[in-house]
Amino acid sequence: MNEYLSRAEFLDGKRDRGQSRADEWKRDEQMEQLAALAESRPEIFEKMGVTVRLSLGYYQNDKANAAAHGRDVSKGGK
């Protein structure tokens, strides 16, 4: 059933999931600080919990997706 639903189109066209994720992305200063820590002190970052590291990975993927779809991901961007 899922294979049929994934091929379905809406009346106004097929949905762009990447664009939807880009529109929903919001800058998070705590995640930005974690990213800086991961880059500057990887030995400390590696000792942090798995959940924190996974969360940062999802955040960075969503940030990259937002940038690819034309969003301003800099500090002052929305």
Side-chain angles (χ1 to χ4, degrees):
M1 174 119 177
N2 191 22
E3 65 185 68
Y4 301 113
L5 292 176
S6 67
R7 285 188 264 153
E9 292 192 24
F10 292 89
L11 294 176
D12 57 349
K14 200 166 177 97
R15 298 288 185 236
D16 184 355
R17 290 178 37 194
Q19 183 65 51
S20 297
R21 283 181 46 216
D23 293 341
E24 292 174 6
W25 180 80
K26 290 181 179 54
R27 184 177 179 82
D28 185 341
E29 285 304 317
Q30 288 181 333
M31 287 295 176
E32 294 294 332
Q33 290 172 359
L34 274 174
L37 177 68
E39 192 160 314
S40 66
R41 306 281 308 272
E43 68 280 358
I44 293 176
F45 182 74
E46 288 296 319
K47 293 179 182 176
M48 298 183 93
V50 174
T51 305
V52 171
R53 293 183 296 176
L54 282 171
S55 296
L56 179 61
Y58 284 122
Y59 176 79
Q60 289 176 323
N61 286 342
D62 287 344
K63 182 178 179 179
N65 181 53
H69 281 87
R71 293 273 313 269
D72 180 8
V73 295
S74 64
K75 189 167 186 154
K78 286 186 170 187

